[in-house]
Amino acid sequence: KPPMPSPMPMPKPPELPWRVAGPAENALPGIVPRPTSLPGIPRCHLETTALPSAVKAEAWHPNAQEFAAGTPTGLIRIYNGRTRKLERLLMGHAQDVAVLSYRPDGGQLASASLDGTVRLWNPDGRAAVVFRRHEHPVYALAWDAAGRRLASGDLGGTAWLWTADGQPLKNLREE
């Protein structure tokens, strides 16, 4: 028998640009610093730290140290107002974030979405309250001057008044 030819060596796979080497200790929660394949997960969504091309809503914190940007994916991105670096991602809305409003004392951020919800977020990025009384996309939010009440309005013509801790005070359409 003639000798079997030796197998050809497999070429080394090319280095892929998204496999970044280096420490990941500065990665924000929810951001994957070095994407890789995930067994059993056919696809995933990755966010960059750069501001996305479409921003649907924005608001400055009263102390001007941070600003919030709402996206069509339902994420709210909190940036450092001085350095413009991404500091936090707030996840909760299922559709476009339509409007953002900081409480006058800066204690909470209110967000409203096409998914019909209004959310209050604590300064650390945790969701504090979710208002689910609207039946239509919510496009308007406003705090009273003292920051004790929040008004929200939807495309169906309904406006609600809420306490800062999430209790409904009044449906203005029923008045």
Side-chain angles (χ1 to χ4, degrees):
K1 265 188 190 175
M4 295 288 281
S6 61
M8 294 193 48
M10 292 295 288
K12 182 178 177 188
E15 288 293 320
L16 300 175
W18 60 80
R19 293 192 187 272
V20 179
E25 63 268 1
N26 292 332
L28 295 170
I31 295 181
V32 178
R34 289 186 294 272
T36 187
S37 61
L38 301 170
I41 300 176
R43 63 181 186 193
C44 63
H45 177 87
L46 297 177
E47 284 290 322
T48 67
T49 57
L51 196 59
S53 59
V55 173
K56 298 287 189 156
E58 51 196 28
W60 276 97
H61 190 280
N63 69 12
Q65 295 299 309
E66 70 181 33
F67 68 94
T71 70
T73 62
L75 291 175
I76 301 166
R77 302 166 69 92
I78 307 295
Y79 289 89
N80 181 296
R82 190 177 51 78
T83 65
R84 297 184 305 268
K85 288 182 76 171
L86 180 65
E87 293 186 343
R88 290 183 303 288
L89 284 175
L90 310 182
M91 297 177 263
H93 288 295
Q95 294 180 28
D96 298 35
V97 175
V99 63
L100 297 166
S101 180
Y102 278 98
R103 199 163 86 187
D105 67 2
Q108 289 178 313
L109 173 66
S111 62
S113 169
L114 301 188
D115 65 11
T117 63
V118 175
R119 293 174 180 267
L120 293 183
W121 304 89
N122 289 326
D124 64 2
R126 288 181 300 117
V129 177
V130 181
F131 307 138
R132 299 184 191 276
R133 296 282 177 106
H134 287 281
E135 296 177 7
H136 300 281
V138 183
Y139 275 95
L141 286 177
W143 288 97
D144 71 358
R148 288 189 285 252
R149 293 177 296 180
L150 178 68
S152 60
D154 67 33
L155 279 181
T158 300
W160 279 93
L161 290 180
W162 311 90
T163 63
D165 63 355
Q167 299 303 310
L169 289 172
K170 192 180 286 189
N171 177 333
L172 299 177
R173 186 176 188 135
E174 295 173 354
E175 294 294 307

